[in-house]
C-alpha cells in the first residue's frame, strides 16, 4: 500500500481530536481538542501528530505529506480567523508548542508570535492600536526563535536588552517605549545574522516550519534523554506540536491572564482557587513584574468573563470528573481557554478530593482508588516539623526515611536503649549501622549516619520501621569513641545534646524543633482524631479509602515481624498474618554468644549444649508471636544469617592479637578464636555458608528450630489458642536440599504431635530467593507447600551486586546516568527479577495448583511492586508493619485497575 | 481396560528378549536374551521386568498377575530341564540376580542355589555323585539367603563357619568335608531361626518369591539411593530380576569357570584375553583360593570347549561391534555362557579399539566417536610416574589436576620464576594461591597447597593450564615465611629440596620419582612420537579420532589465552581463535602498582597519568597477541577485576598500622592507604564494583583499553597482518550499560580508524554472566554483536554461592549427600544455569539473527557441558589451551550423536 493511495493523516484540527488521543496528539493537544469539542472558547488551531515526529526522528526528514497537510490546515485556520500569516495590514500570529504524551523537562516549550515580520509589524500595531505592543511582540519572537530554534545563546539577547535599558535609563522592560523596542529589534536581527549565520526568516511559513522541526529535535536533547531513561519513558514515542492562533492579554486593562484550580490543590477543600494578572501575558506572571490578585477579584473587574469562567470550570470538572487546572487569557473582554489538565495536588488533597467526588456521584470507589497512591499515603504517615525552623542547621545528608525526629544525641545502641528506657527521647548517631544496632534503632526516635546511601543498612531498616533517618551526612564527623560529632565550622555535638533531624529533607539541626505527629498514624493506632479541621477531614477520607481498598483487593497483606510487639502493631495496621519472622533477629543480643559457640563448636557435645540452651528461648519467642497473631498465619523462616555477622570481625581481632603479641601478652582464647575465624572467613559472605546450607552442615540446628515451633504451637493449642504456623526454609537452590530438611522436619513434627496428641497442621515451604530456585520452581514445588519470594536476595543475585556494597560505589552514578530510573532494591525490576518471579509462579502452580504464593522482600511494601505482585497472581504480600496500610491501598488499587 | 482383558506381561523367557530391551529387562537380562537368540549356550531361564518392580515399589505389593506368570515360566523351565525345583531325587536349582538398566552398587546382587532344601540335598548329592558338593551348595544358599533376603547379619554365618573350621582343625573352607558341612547347615538353620524369627523356607517356590522381593526392595537401600542421586539416575526406573538355571563349575577337573575379553582392555591390542580357574565357581575366583591360569591354557585342558569359546567370542564381537567381556562356566565338559556385556577398557584401549573397528568395517566414524570420550583423552594428556614408587610419601591431598610433577620446593612465586628461568624445575608450595601467584604457577612444574578443594583457585587454574596440582593437603604444614613445609612425623621440606606430586592420586613424595611425558601431548605439540610400540599406536589412533571429530563438529573451538605464548600453544592444540583474553591478567606483576594508583587516584591528573602509562604497554600486549592469532578472531575482554585484588589486604594493612602506632612509628603513607582501602572495602567483592561498573565509574579506563586494541590492530594491519579483534564488555546487567560503553568505544575506534585510514572491523559484544543479562538478552542483543556466556560467574549468581567460599564449607557435604552429582562449577547445571543460557540464546537470536554465540567459562572445556552447548546452538566454545583437544573431540561427538 503506497503513501499516494492513502496518505497518512499527520495533522488534526482541534475540532478533530479528543482527550483520549494523548498517544497521537500529546497531552496538551488532546485536551485542547477536548475543550474545543465541549464548545469552550479555545483559539482555533491544529496539532501535528507524534507519528510525524517519529518519521522525522527515524529518517531525519519530515514525512513528505506533512508540508501539504500543514498548508491545508493553515489555510483553513486563516480562513476562519479572517487573516493570514504575514498579512501586512492585519497579520495572523500563532504559537508553536511541544506536547508529548508525558510532560518532559528538557524539551522545547513554546515559541509565541510566530508570523510576525518586518513587513507586518506595523500592521499589527495599527490593528492593536498599540505600537509598543507590536514591537515588543516582534522583539520577543526574535528572542525566543533565535534562542530555541536557531541555537543562539540566550545571554546574547539578554545582554542586548540590558544595554538598551541602560541606554534608555529604563529600570524595567516596561519602561522601554516603542522606539526603544524598534531599535532593539534591529540589534536582535544583527545578533541572529552574526551568531546563527543567517537572517531571521521573514517568511512566516518558514518560521513555522523551522519551529516545528526544532520541537521535533528537542525530543532528543541530552536532558530529555536522561529524563526518559530515569522515568523509563520509551525513547521512540515522539512529541506532538500544537499550532494555535495567538490571543493577547496585554492589550489594555480589559485584558489579562490567569491560572485557576477547580478545588484547593493544597487541602482538597471544595471551591475555586486561582490568580489573575491584569493587562499581562502568561510569561509576565512568571517574571513576577507585578503581583497577581486572587481570582475572585476578577468578578469586580469583568463580571461577564468571571461568570463565564466559573461556568466553564464547572463544565470541566464534571467532564473530567476530577480537579482541573486551567490557563486562560482575556483579550479585550473576550475569555479564551489556553490549556486545561487534571491538576496536581498534595497527598492530603488527593484523599479528600477522591472521597468528595464519590459523594458527588462523579466517580465510583474503584475510580476513587486510582486518584490516590501509596506514596501519598506513606507521606501522610510521617510526623513533620511544625513551622518555620529557627534552630541552627548543622548539616545535610540524604533524606533516607521521611519524618521529623528530635532527641538527645547518643552514639551507641547500648546508651540508646538505656536512655530510652529511662524515658529519654534519643537520636542514634553512627558512622554507619549494622544488625547489632537494631535494638538501638528500635529505641531511638531517629537515626543519623555519616556514611551510606538510600539503600544502606540504616536507611533500609529505618524505612522498614517507619523511623526517621538521615544517612550519609558526610560533612558531619562522627567520633564514636569520644561520643561526639563535629559539624563544619567546628560546632561539636556531645552525647546528650539535643538534635533534630528531618527525614524528608535530610536536614540536621542543633536543638529542638517542634514536631507534629501524623494524624493518619494516630488513626491507624486507634488513637482516633476527632474534629472537623483539616486533619479530621483527612482522617475521614483515609478511613473511607482504606475501606474501598480492602473491599476491592485480592492480595492479602501480611507483616514482616520478628516479635510479639511488632506483630501486635502490625495487626492494628491491618496485617492479616506474618509473612516473615526472621529467626536470626531472635539470636542477637545476649543469645549471640550461644550462636557463636554453636558455630565454633568442635565437638558434638558443645553443639548439643548450645542447641539445648537455645530451644526453650526460641519456644517462648514463638509462643508470644503465635499469641499476638492468634488465628492468622505466621511464617517462620529458619535461621539465615551471613556467618560473619555472628563472628568477631577478622580485622579487629587480628589487630588485637598482633598488638598483644607485640607486648608479649598473648591471650590463648583470642588466638584460638582467630584461628577459627580464619577457618570460617568468607571472601563473600553473601555467597557463602548461609540458610539451608548452614542447616545441612550444622547438625541439629534446623531440627531445634522446628521443634521449638511445633512445641510452641502445641502449647498455644493447649491454652485454647489457634496458632497457624508455617515453616519456611531459606536459600534453597535445588529441590534436594528442601527434601532433606523436610524429611527431618516432618519427623520432629510427628514426634511433637504424638507427644501432645494434637494435629498441628504445620505447612512447610521455602523462600524463592535464588535464581536457581526460580528457574527450577516446578521441581521445588514438589516438596514445598508455599513459596515466598525473597526479592531482596533475588535482586542481589540476578543483578550480581550486593546491597551493602554497591550503593556507595556506583549506584549514584547509575541513577545519574539514567541506567536505573529507580534502585531495583526499592521497586522490583520487572524485566529481570520480575521475569523470574513470573516464571516461578507459573511453573510452581503447574506442579501444585494450590501452591500458596507470597513475597516477603522489601518490595512487598513498595507501591509499584505491589501492582506487579497482583498481576502475577500472588496470594499475599508481606512487608514491615509501617508499610502495611500502603500495601493494602495499593493492593486495592491494583485490583480496581484490573492490572 | 481392565487387567483381566489384557494382563500385562511381567515375565520374559530368555528366548523372548533382546539387547535393546534394557529399559524393561535390565542390562543383564537383555544380554542373556540376546545370547540365547544368537544360539549361544545360555542356561535356560527368564527375566521379571522392571515394570513389575515399579508396581511393587509404588503399591508395596507384587502385581497380581506376577505369581501366575512366574509359575507358568517356571513350569516351562522345569519341563525343558527335565527336573523340578525341590524334586527330592534330582532337584533343579536356579540363581536369582538383580539387573537394573544401569549397574548400581548397593543393590542386592545374587542368590545362588535357590531350590535346595532338606528334602532334596541328598538327591543333589546322588545326582552329582559328590556329597560334599551338595552340602556345600546348601550351606551357601542358607548363608546368602539368610543375609540378603532375611536380613541376618553376615558375620553370624562367618563366625559359625570359622568355629566349624576351628573345631575340625581345618585351615581353609575346602578342608571341611561333607560331614562338617552337614553339621554347619544345622547350625545355620538355628542362626536363621533365632535371628530372622522364622525357619529357613523349605518350599522352593517360597525361596524364589522371597528372593525376588528382596531384589525389588534392594532398589531403595540408602546406598543405592545415594548412588542414584549422585549419578542422576531417576529413582523410579526399578530393577529387573533374572532367574537362571544353575550350572556348576565345581564338579571336578572337567569343570571350571572363567572371564574373558575379546581384546586387551588395557592396551587395546587385538586378541583374546582372560583367566580360567579349574573346578571352581565364580565366587571362588573372587575369594582367591587358588591362582587362575591364562585363558590360553584352557586349550590344553579342554580343546573342544576352548574352540567353542573362541568362536562364540568372535560371534559376540561381530554382533555387538565392540569389545565384549564374558563370564562362562564349563560343567563336566559342557560350556555355558553366564553373562556378556560391552567391556570396560582403559582410555588408551578405547582409542585404539575404536579405530580398529573402523578398519574392520564394523563401525563408521560417527560411531567410533561414541566409543571414546573427552575424559579419556584428558587422562591420556597427563604425564605419569613411571613404575612402582620407592620414594617416601610425605602426605596426601586432593587430586586436583592430574599428572606427575617433580621439582625443587619453592614457597613463593618470585622464587619460582627466578629458579625456573635459571633452568630449575620447581614445585610451587603455598597454603593457598591467588591471582598474584599466576606467574609462579606458570613457571612451576606443579602446584601443591595445604588448603582449598577441587574448585579452589589453585585447582581451577592448574586444571586450566593442564598443570599437575595437589591441593588441600591439610596434614602438611606450610610455613611461607620460613620457606619450609612440615609433614606428619616431623619431616621438614626446606626450600630447594626435591618433591614429587601425583595429581591423579593426590600423593606427595619426598625426592624424585621418575616421570614419563604423555605421548599424546608430544603429538599435539608437534614433537611426533614415531615407532610401533603402544605409545606410537596410541598416537596414531588419537590422530585419526581427532580428524573424525574435526570433520564432524559444528562447534568451533577457541582458547582462553592472555598472552602470545599461550595463544601459540593453543594454535598447536587446534584453537580456532581466542574466545577470552582476560586483560586483568595483563595488569599483574609490575603493572599492578599502576593499577593501584589508578584506582586510588584522587585527581583527574593522577588518573590520566596512570592511564597514559598503561596505554603503550597494553598496545604492545595486543600486537603480540594478534600476531600469534593472525587471521583468527581474538576476543578481548575489558578489565574485570574484583577491586580488592588490586588493593592491599585490609587485615594485613590494619595490623601493620596498629603495630606501627603502638611503636609510635606511624607511616603517613600507610595511614593514607588504609583510609583509601577502608573507603573502597567491599563486604562481597564478587558482588561489588567490577566489570562494566568499574568502566563506567573510572573515566577513561575502558577507552584506554579500546584505544590500545584499535591501535594494535592498526599496527598489525600496517605490518601486513590480518588482526580480527572483538571487544567484549564484562558484567553487563542491562542494555543501558552496554549502550553507554559502546557509544564511547565507537568514538575512539572511529578516531583511530581515521588517523590510520583503515577500517578495522572491530566487533563489540558482551559477556552474559549475570542472570539479568540472560533474562534480558533480547534487549541486550540490540547493542551487542556477540554474546559470550561467562558460565563461571553465571553459576555463582544463579546458585548464590562463590567459588572461593563454598567448597571448603559445604560442597563436600553436598556431594556426599547427593545434592550434587558433580560440582556445578565443573559441569554446567542444565536445569538452572542451562535454562538461562538456552533462553538467552533464543531471545538474543530473535532480536539479531546473526548474533554470534560462544562460551568462555571453564565449562567450555568440560565434556558433558560441550554437548549442552552444541545442543543450544552456540557457534563456539572457548577453553584453556590444554582442554582444546578435549573440546574438539566432544564437539565432534556431540555432532555425531545428533544431540
Amino acid at each position: 500500500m503506497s503513501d499516494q493511495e492513502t496518505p497518512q493523516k499527520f495533522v488534526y484540527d482541534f475540532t478533530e481530536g479528543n482527550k483520549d488521543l494523548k498517544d497521537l496528539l500529546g497531552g496538551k493537544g488532546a485536551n485542547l481538542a477536548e475543550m474545543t469539542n465541549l464548545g469552550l472558547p479555545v483559539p482555533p488551531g491544529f496539532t501535528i501528530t507524534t507519528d510525524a515526529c517519529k518519521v522525522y526522528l527515524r529518517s531525519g526528514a519530515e514525512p513528505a505529506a506533512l508540508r501539504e497537510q500543514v498548508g491545508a490546515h493553515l489555510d483553513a485556520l486563516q480562513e476562519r480567523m479572517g487573516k493570514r500569516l504575514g498579512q501586512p495590514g492585519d497579520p495572523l500570529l500563532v504559537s508553536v508548542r511541544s506536547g508529548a504524551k508525558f510532560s518532559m523537562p528538557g524539551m522545547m516549550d513554546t515559541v509565541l508570535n510566530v508570523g510576525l515580520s518586518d513587513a507586518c509589524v506595523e500592521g499589527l500595531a495599527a490593528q492593536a492600536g498599540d505600537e509598543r505592543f507590536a514591537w515588543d511582540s516582534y522583539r520577543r519572537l526574535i528572542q525566543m526563535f533565535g534562542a530555541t530554534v536557531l541555537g543562539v545563546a540566550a545571554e546574547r539577547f539578554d545582554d542586548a536588552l540590558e544595554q538598551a535599558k541602560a541606554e534608555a535609563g529604563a529600570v524595567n522592560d516596561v519602561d522601554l517605549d516603542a522606539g526603544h523596542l524598534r531599535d532593539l529589534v534591529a540589534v536582535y536581527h544583527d545578533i541572529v545574522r552574526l551568531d546563527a549565520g543567517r537572517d531571521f526568516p521573514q517568511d512566516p511559513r518558514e518560521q513555522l516550519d523551522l519551529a516545528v522541526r526544532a520541537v521535533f529535535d528537542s525530543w532528543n536533547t541530552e536532558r530529555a534523554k536522561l529524563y526518559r531513561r530515569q522515568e523509563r519513558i520509551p525513547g521512540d514515542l515522539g512529541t506532538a506540536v500544537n499550532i494555535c492562533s495567538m490571543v493577547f492579554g496585554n492589550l489594555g486593562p480589559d485584558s489579562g491572564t490567569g491560572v485557576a484550580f477547580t478545588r484547593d490543590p493544597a487541602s482538597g477543600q471544595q471551591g475555586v482557587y486561582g490568580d489573575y494578572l491584569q493587562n499581562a501575558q502568561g510569561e509576565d506572571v512568571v517574571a513576577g513584574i507585578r503581583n497577581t490578585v486572587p481570582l475572585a477579584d476578577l468578578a469586580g473587574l469583568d463580571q461577564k468573563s468571571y461568570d463565564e469562567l466559573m461556568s466553564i470550570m464547572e463544565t470541566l470538572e464534571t467532564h473530567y470528573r476530577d480537579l482541573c487546572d486551567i490557563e486562560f487569557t482575556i483579550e479585550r473582554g473576550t475569555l479564551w481557554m489556553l490549556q486545561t489538565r487534571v491538576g496536581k495536588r498534595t497527598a492530603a488533597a488527593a484523599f479528600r478530593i477522591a472521597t468528595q467526588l464519590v459523594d458527588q456521584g462523579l466517580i465510583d470507589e474503584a475510580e476513587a482508588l486510582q486518584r490516590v497512591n501509596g506514596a501519598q499515603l506513606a507521606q501522610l504517615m510521617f510526623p513533620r516539623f511544625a513551622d518555620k525552623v529557627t534552630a541552627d542547621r548543622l548539616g545535610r545528608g540524604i533524606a533516607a526515611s521521611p519524618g521529623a525526629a528530635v532527641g538527645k544525641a547518643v552514639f551507641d545502641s547500648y546508651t540508646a536503649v538505656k536512655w530510652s528506657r529511662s524515658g529519654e527521647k534519643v537520636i542514634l548517631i553512627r558512622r554507619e549501622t549494622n544488625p547489632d544496632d537494631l535494638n538501638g534503632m528500635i529505641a531511638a526516635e531517629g537515626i543519623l549516619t555519616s556514611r551510606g546511601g538510600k539503600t544502606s543498612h540504616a536507611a533500609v531498616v529505618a524505612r522498614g520501621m517507619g523511623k526517621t533517618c538521615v544517612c550519609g551526612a558526610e560533612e558531619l564527623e562522627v567520633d564514636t569513641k569520644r561520643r561526639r560529632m563535629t559539624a563544619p565550622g567546628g560546632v561539636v555535638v556531645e552525647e546528650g545534646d539535643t538534635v533534630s533531624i528531618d527525614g524528608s529533607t535530610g536536614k540536621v539541626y542543633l536543638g529542638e524543633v517542634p514536631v507534629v505527629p501524623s494524624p493518619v498514624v494516630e488513626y491507624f493506632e486507634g488513637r482516633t482524631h476527632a474534629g472537623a479541621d483539616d486533619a479530621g477531614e483527612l482522617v475521614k477520607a483515609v478511613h473511607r479509602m482504606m475501606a474501598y481498598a480492602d473491599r476491592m483487593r485480592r492480595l492479602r497483606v501480611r507483616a514482616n515481624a520478628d516479635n510479639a510487639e511488632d506483630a501486635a502493631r502490625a495487626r492494628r495496621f491491618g496485617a492479616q498474618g506474618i509473612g516473615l519472622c526472621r529467626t536470626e533477629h531472635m539470636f542477637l543480643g545476649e543469645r549471640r554468644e550461644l550462636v557463636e559457640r554453636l558455630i565454633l563448636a568442635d565437638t558434638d557435645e558443645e553443639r548439643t549444649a548450645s542447641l539445648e540452651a537455645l530451644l526453650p528461648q526460641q519456644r517462648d519467642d514463638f509462643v508470644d508471636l503465635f499469641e499476638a497473631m492468634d488465628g492468622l498465619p505466621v511464617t517462620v523462616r529458619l535461621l539465615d544469617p551471613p556467618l560473619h555477622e555472628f563472628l568477631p570481625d577478622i580485622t579487629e581481632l587480628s589487630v588485637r592479637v598482633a598488638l598483644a603479641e607485640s607486648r608479649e601478652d598473648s591471650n590463648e582464647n583470642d588466638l584460638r578464636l582467630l584461628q577459627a575465624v580464619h577457618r570460617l572467613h568468607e571472601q563473600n559472605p553473601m555467597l557463602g555458608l548461609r540458610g539451608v546450607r548452614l542447616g545441612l552442615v550444622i547438625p541439629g540446628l534446623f531440627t531445634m528450630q522446628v521443634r521449638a515451633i511445633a512445641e510452641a504451637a502445641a502449647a498455644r493449642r493447649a491454652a485454647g489458642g489457634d496458632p497457624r504456623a508455617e515453616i519456611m526454609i531459606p536459600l534453597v537452590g535445588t529441590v534436594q536440599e528442601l527434601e532433606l530438611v523436610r524429611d527431618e522436619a516432618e519427623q520432629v513434627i510427628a514426634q511433637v504431635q504424638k507427644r501432645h496428641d494434637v494435629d498441628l497442621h504445620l505447612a512447610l515451604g521455602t523462600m524463592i530467593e535464588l535464581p536457581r530456585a526460580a528457574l527450577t520452581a516446578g521441581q521445588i514445588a514438589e516438596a514445598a507447600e508455599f513459596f515466598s519470594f525473597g526479592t531482596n536476595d533475588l535482586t542481589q543475585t540476578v543483578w550480581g551486586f550486593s546491597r551493602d556494597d554497591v550503593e556507595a560505589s556506583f549506584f549514584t552514578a547509575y541513577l545519574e546516568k539514567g541506567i536505573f530510573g529507580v534502585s531495583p532494591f526499592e521497586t522490583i525490576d520487572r524485566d529481570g527479577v520480575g521475569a523470574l518471579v513470573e516464571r516461578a509462579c507459573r511453573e510452581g502452580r503447574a506442579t501444585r495448583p494450590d501452591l500458596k504464593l507470597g513475597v516477603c522482600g522489601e518490595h512487598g511494601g513498595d507501591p509499584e511492586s505491589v501492582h506487579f505482585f497482583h498481576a502475577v497472581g500472588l496470594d499475599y504480600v508481606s512487608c514491615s508493619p509501617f508499610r502495611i496500610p500502603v500495601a493494602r491501598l495499593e493492593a486495592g488499587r491494583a485490583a480496581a485497575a484490573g492490572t
Side-chain angles (χ1 to χ4, degrees), chain A:
Chain A
M1 189 166 57
S2 85
D3 276 352
Q4 281 180 319
E5 289 172 38
T6 53
Q8 193 179 349
K9 183 170 170 64
F10 288 115
V11 183
Y12 283 70
D13 194 87
F14 289 168
T15 56
E16 295 177 304
N18 68 60
K19 72 175 163 50
D20 300 323
L21 294 179
K22 289 203 177 69
D23 281 338
L24 189 67
L25 304 179
K28 196 175 288 164
N31 282 324
L32 283 168
E34 190 75 11
M35 286 200 290
T36 302
N37 293 334
L38 284 171
L40 304 185
V42 176
F46 53 87
T47 303
I48 299 174
T49 66
T50 55
D51 284 344
C53 179
K54 286 180 203 167
V55 172
Y56 175 80
L57 293 173
R58 268 202 306 273
S59 66
E62 292 83 355
L66 184 63
R67 194 178 162 74
E68 197 191 312
Q69 291 185 21
V70 168
H73 280 268
L74 206 51
D75 285 347
L77 181 65
Q78 291 176 144
E79 186 137 334
R80 188 133 109 253
M81 302 300 288
K83 44 190 176 180
R84 305 187 62 81
L85 286 180
Q87 179 179 322
D90 183 11
L92 171 68
L93 305 191
V94 295
S95 64
V96 177
R97 297 174 165 202
S98 68
K101 181 176 182 188
F102 307 100
S103 140
M104 203 179 301
M107 273 180 55
M108 205 193 84
D109 193 23
T110 304
V111 183
L112 300 178
N113 304 337
V114 168
L116 262 183
S117 63
D118 295 350
C120 64
V121 59
E122 293 291 0
L124 178 67
Q127 266 297 323
D130 185 342
E131 200 171 3
R132 186 190 178 284
F133 159 75
W135 284 103
D136 192 42
S137 298
Y138 195 25
R139 185 271 299 179
R140 289 177 195 235
L141 168 63
I142 303 170
Q143 187 165 355
M144 274 191 273
F145 194 95
T148 59
V149 180
L150 299 178
V152 177
E155 312 86 75
R156 296 276 282 131
F157 298 110
D158 292 340
D159 292 349
L161 178 61
E162 286 310 310
Q163 199 179 337
K165 275 153 66 176
E167 283 168 5
V171 178
N172 290 318
D173 296 5
V174 290
D175 299 331
L176 295 173
D177 64 20
H180 295 134
L181 291 166
R182 180 186 293 126
D183 293 345
L184 189 57
V185 163
V187 175
Y188 276 13
H189 273 320
D190 289 343
I191 290 175
V192 168
R193 194 172 304 118
L194 229 70
D195 285 21
R198 63 159 293 169
D199 281 325
F200 173 79
Q202 292 296 325
D203 174 4
R205 178 66 200 265
E206 188 184 0
Q207 288 175 14
L208 180 67
D209 290 342
L210 287 175
V212 168
R213 175 175 285 197
V215 171
F216 286 166
D217 283 331
S218 74
W219 177 257
N220 276 331
T221 60
E222 284 309 311
R223 227 178 109 216
K225 282 199 281 190
L226 175 64
Y227 182 82
R228 286 198 296 269
R229 271 207 301 273
Q230 287 172 339
E231 298 294 317
R232 301 184 182 190
I233 296 173
D236 57 359
L237 294 181
T239 180
V241 188
N242 300 294
I243 289 129
C244 184
S245 47
M246 290 288 302
V247 291
F248 297 95
N250 54 348
L251 281 177
D254 55 352
S255 302
T257 189
V259 296
F261 299 87
T262 58
R263 341 199 144 206
D264 183 354
S267 71
Q269 219 171 309
Q270 280 176 285
V272 170
Y273 295 79
D275 299 300
Y276 181 71
L277 188 58
Q278 205 175 6
N279 192 17
Q281 274 195 303
E283 41 177 356
D284 298 330
V285 181
V286 180
I289 299 166
R290 284 164 293 150
N291 283 336
T292 57
V293 297
L295 189 58
D297 291 4
L298 176 58
L301 296 168
D302 182 349
Q303 185 69 46
K304 181 184 133 282
S305 292
Y306 180 77
D307 291 344
E308 190 182 351
L309 184 64
M310 290 303 110
S311 152
I312 285 172
M313 285 170 77
E314 204 182 314
T315 303
L316 283 176
E317 221 197 48
T318 309
H319 185 71
Y320 280 89
R321 300 176 304 122
D322 204 351
L323 161 74
C324 293
D325 78 9
I326 58 164
E327 292 177 22
F328 65 92
T329 281
I330 298 173
E331 183 184 276
R332 289 183 172 155
T334 304
L335 175 67
W336 295 101
M337 301 298 295
L338 299 188
Q339 178 162 333
T340 191
R341 62 184 173 194
V342 169
K344 295 198 190 318
R345 67 208 74 180
T346 65
F351 278 83
R352 287 178 65 184
I353 291 172
T355 51
Q356 288 162 14
L357 294 171
V358 172
D359 291 339
Q360 288 176 251
L362 285 173
I363 62 176
D364 62 11
E365 293 184 5
E367 179 66 31
L369 285 171
Q370 302 315 311
R371 302 297 177 84
V372 296
N373 62 54
Q376 292 169 328
L377 179 58
Q379 211 179 317
L380 294 172
M381 288 176 68
F382 289 102
R384 303 202 175 178
F385 284 133
D387 296 315
K388 212 161 172 73
V389 177
T390 54
D392 288 339
R393 203 212 286 179
L394 288 170
R396 187 167 188 168
I398 295 165
S401 177
V406 180
K408 292 190 169 170
V410 294
F411 294 87
D412 63 293
S413 256
Y414 178 81
T415 313
V417 172
K418 201 175 63 175
W419 289 21
S420 109
R421 283 200 183 137
S422 67
E424 297 282 6
K425 295 194 163 178
V426 299
I427 301 291
L428 178 63
I429 305 177
R430 305 280 292 164
R431 288 187 64 207
E432 56 200 327
T433 63
N434 65 47
D436 274 338
D437 293 318
L438 211 61
N439 288 328
M441 293 174 78
I442 292 169
E445 298 297 302
I447 297 107
L448 168 62
T449 70
S450 60
R451 286 188 47 180
K454 266 206 157 175
T455 60
S456 64
H457 180 266
V460 170
V461 174
R463 276 201 298 276
M465 295 176 173
K467 195 147 282 193
T468 302
C469 176
V470 171
C471 64
E474 299 195 349
E475 51 191 344
L476 301 176
E477 203 179 296
V478 175
D479 187 337
T480 314
K481 273 188 203 157
R482 297 194 187 150
R483 298 163 176 272
R484 66 189 200 184
M485 169 172 78
T486 312
V491 183
V492 173
V493 177
E494 304 275 358
E495 187 174 78
D497 291 350
T498 297
V499 293
S500 301
I501 62 175
D502 188 334
S504 309
T505 62
K507 290 177 190 165
V508 180
Y509 302 96
L510 184 63
E512 179 172 347
V513 177
V515 168
V516 183
S518 154
V520 172
V521 170
E522 298 289 289
Y523 152 68
F524 283 125
E525 287 283 13
R527 299 188 286 267
T528 28
H529 190 98
D533 58 354
D534 275 346
E537 292 291 338
L538 170 60
V539 164
K540 268 191 255 170
V542 168
H543 173 82
R544 288 178 57 188
M545 295 296 287
M546 294 309 293
Y548 301 166
D550 288 344
R551 275 202 286 277
M552 205 77 79
R553 68 190 159 93
R554 186 186 57 68
L555 278 174
R556 296 175 74 80
V557 177
R558 298 197 197 175
N560 297 351
D562 313 324
N563 54 56
E565 200 180 322
D566 278 1
R569 188 186 193 197
R571 257 193 128 140
R572 291 195 297 275
F573 278 55
Q576 297 165 293
I578 289 179
L580 176 63
C581 162
R582 283 155 292 205
T583 54
E584 58 274 17
H585 285 179
M586 298 171 167
F587 284 155
L588 294 172
E590 55 209 8
R591 299 183 198 170
R592 190 190 156 122
E593 207 186 315
L594 280 175
V595 178
E596 190 181 306
R597 277 224 296 276
L598 177 69
I599 294 171
L600 296 176
D602 282 330
T603 65
D604 283 352
E605 291 71 41
E606 280 175 44
R607 193 165 27 240
T608 307
S610 311
L611 287 170
E612 280 175 2
L614 283 167
L615 176 63
Q617 303 188 6
Q618 279 269 281
R619 190 174 46 220
D620 291 350
D621 293 335
F622 295 133
V623 167
D624 292 349
L625 203 60
F626 297 159
E627 188 171 1
M629 273 290 163
D630 196 66
L632 293 175
V634 175
T635 307
V636 179
R637 179 175 72 185
L638 302 188
L639 197 67
D640 180 21
L643 210 54
H644 70 290
E645 288 190 5
F646 286 98
L647 294 174
D649 180 76
I650 193 166
T651 298
E652 274 175 32
L653 189 60
S654 299
V655 168
R656 194 161 79 214
V657 167
L659 287 176
E661 273 179 351
S662 80
R663 291 191 307 265
E664 297 188 357
D665 176 29
S666 291
N667 172 328
E668 193 54 39
N669 211 31
D670 274 359
L671 281 173
R672 270 205 6 234
L673 196 56
L674 183 59
Q675 259 186 330
V677 169
H678 263 293
R679 196 180 64 235
L680 294 170
H681 182 64
E682 297 181 317
Q683 286 291 333
N684 299 279
M686 206 52 90
L687 302 177
L689 184 56
R690 292 174 49 199
V692 69
R693 301 165 192 168
L694 200 65
L696 289 170
V697 164
I698 299 186
L701 175 60
F702 275 9
T703 43
M704 179 278 284
Q705 291 199 289
V706 170
R707 184 175 302 280
I709 293 166
E711 290 182 356
R716 283 292 305 148
R717 195 70 75 81
D722 180 11
R724 303 196 176 175
E726 302 176 332
I727 297 172
M728 181 153 76
I729 318 298
L731 215 74
V732 163
T734 173
V735 68
Q736 283 92 337
E737 293 170 317
L738 190 57
E739 284 168 353
L740 287 171
V741 174
R742 199 187 164 87
D743 285 354
E744 281 195 344
E746 280 173 349
Q747 282 171 29
V748 170
I749 293 167
Q751 282 168 17
V752 175
Q753 290 189 144
K754 200 172 167 192
R755 180 162 339 125
H756 295 267
D757 191 24
V758 63
D759 187 350
L760 295 170
H761 302 294
L762 293 174
L764 270 128
T766 184
M767 296 276 281
I768 301 288
E769 53 186 332
L770 291 174
R772 196 174 190 284
L775 290 164
T776 61
Q779 293 167 26
I780 289 177
E782 304 267 4
E785 286 157 73
F786 61 87
F787 286 173
S788 180
F789 290 95
T791 50
N792 297 357
D793 267 39
L794 208 47
T795 300
Q796 292 196 146
T797 42
V798 164
W799 282 91
F801 44 55
S802 102
R803 286 174 89 170
D804 299 340
D805 292 313
V806 292
E807 175 155 88
S809 57
F810 68 88
F811 257 41
T812 318
Y814 268 39
L815 290 164
E816 274 169 11
K817 289 177 199 283
I819 295 174
F820 301 146
V822 57
S823 160
F825 289 114
E826 280 187 35
T827 294
I828 195 158
D829 151 36
R830 288 188 181 222
D831 290 351
V833 177
L836 278 186
V837 170
E838 192 276 331
R839 177 187 164 122
C841 290
R842 189 163 23 85
E843 303 203 342
R845 284 232 169 96
T847 297
R848 186 189 285 260
D850 64 345
L851 185 72
K852 209 193 284 183
L853 298 172
V855 59
C856 60
E858 283 293 316
H859 298 108
D862 169 69
E864 195 181 318
S865 308
V866 169
H867 288 251
F868 172 77
F869 297 130
H870 173 86
V872 296
L874 296 198
D875 295 302
Y876 68 87
V877 296
S878 186
C879 56
S880 45
F882 198 76
R883 288 181 162 212
I884 284 170
V886 172
R888 285 163 59 200
L889 181 68
E890 290 292 353
R893 295 187 64 228
T899 54

